[in-house]
Amino acid sequence: MFKIIVETNKLKQTINNNNNNNNNNNNNNNNNNNNNNNNNNNNNNNNNNNNNNNNNNNNNNNNNNNNNNNNNNNNNNNNNNNNNNNNNNNNKNNNNNNNNNNNNNNNNNNNNNNNNNNNNNNNNNNNNNKNNNYNNNNNNNNNNLHHQ
């Protein structure tokens, strides 16, 4: 009878030990699972942070590119405006030069006309003088004839 009790106690102890071991194993497994979950969460958080950083960087790059494009466009516009102003100034200068040339031509024409008029007047005067001389000579001759 005593032997059976001892064996039963041994068996109970073994069962208890096994249960304890199982519990410990389960606890360890749970702890490991929790750790794994925590690690996964941390990794996910890190990934999300990295993605956010990348997105922010991309946004910054896009903004910088847009700013650069705007600056380039402004510079181009300024250059175009300057070119237009230069062209306008050149056109004005050309117009002024043309006007000056026209004025000079008109002046030259006027001078030529004046010279021609003067020449004509001189010719007329010379002709008149010749005619007068001729008439005077004729008169003198007539007078002389008459007196003779």
Side-chain angles (χ1 to χ4, degrees), residues 2-111:
F2 178 74
K3 189 172 178 181
I4 287 177
I5 288 175
V6 167
E7 286 304 318
T8 298
N9 279 346
K10 275 188 184 178
L11 186 58
K12 277 184 185 176
Q13 187 60 42
T14 297
I15 286 172
N16 271 348
N17 279 352
N18 278 351
N19 278 348
N20 279 346
N21 276 348
N22 277 348
N23 280 346
N24 278 345
N25 278 347
N26 279 347
N27 279 346
N28 278 347
N29 278 346
N30 279 348
N31 279 346
N32 278 347
N33 279 347
N34 279 347
N35 279 347
N36 278 348
N37 279 347
N38 279 348
N39 279 347
N40 278 348
N41 279 347
N42 278 349
N43 278 348
N44 279 348
N45 280 348
N46 279 348
N47 279 348
N48 279 348
N49 279 349
N50 279 348
N51 280 348
N52 280 348
N53 280 349
N54 279 349
N55 279 349
N56 280 348
N57 279 349
N58 280 350
N59 279 348
N60 280 350
N61 278 351
N62 279 348
N63 281 348
N64 279 349
N65 279 352
N66 280 349
N67 280 348
N68 279 350
N69 279 353
N70 280 350
N71 280 350
N72 280 350
N73 279 350
N74 281 349
N75 280 350
N76 279 352
N77 280 350
N78 280 349
N79 280 351
N80 280 350
N81 281 349
N82 280 349
N83 280 350
N84 280 350
N85 280 350
N86 280 350
N87 280 351
N88 280 350
N89 280 348
N90 279 351
N91 280 351
K92 278 186 196 169
N93 280 351
N94 280 350
N95 279 349
N96 280 351
N97 281 349
N98 280 350
N99 280 348
N100 279 349
N101 280 351
N102 280 351
N103 281 347
N104 280 349
N105 280 349
N106 281 349
N107 280 349
N108 280 348
N109 280 350
N110 281 348
N111 280 347

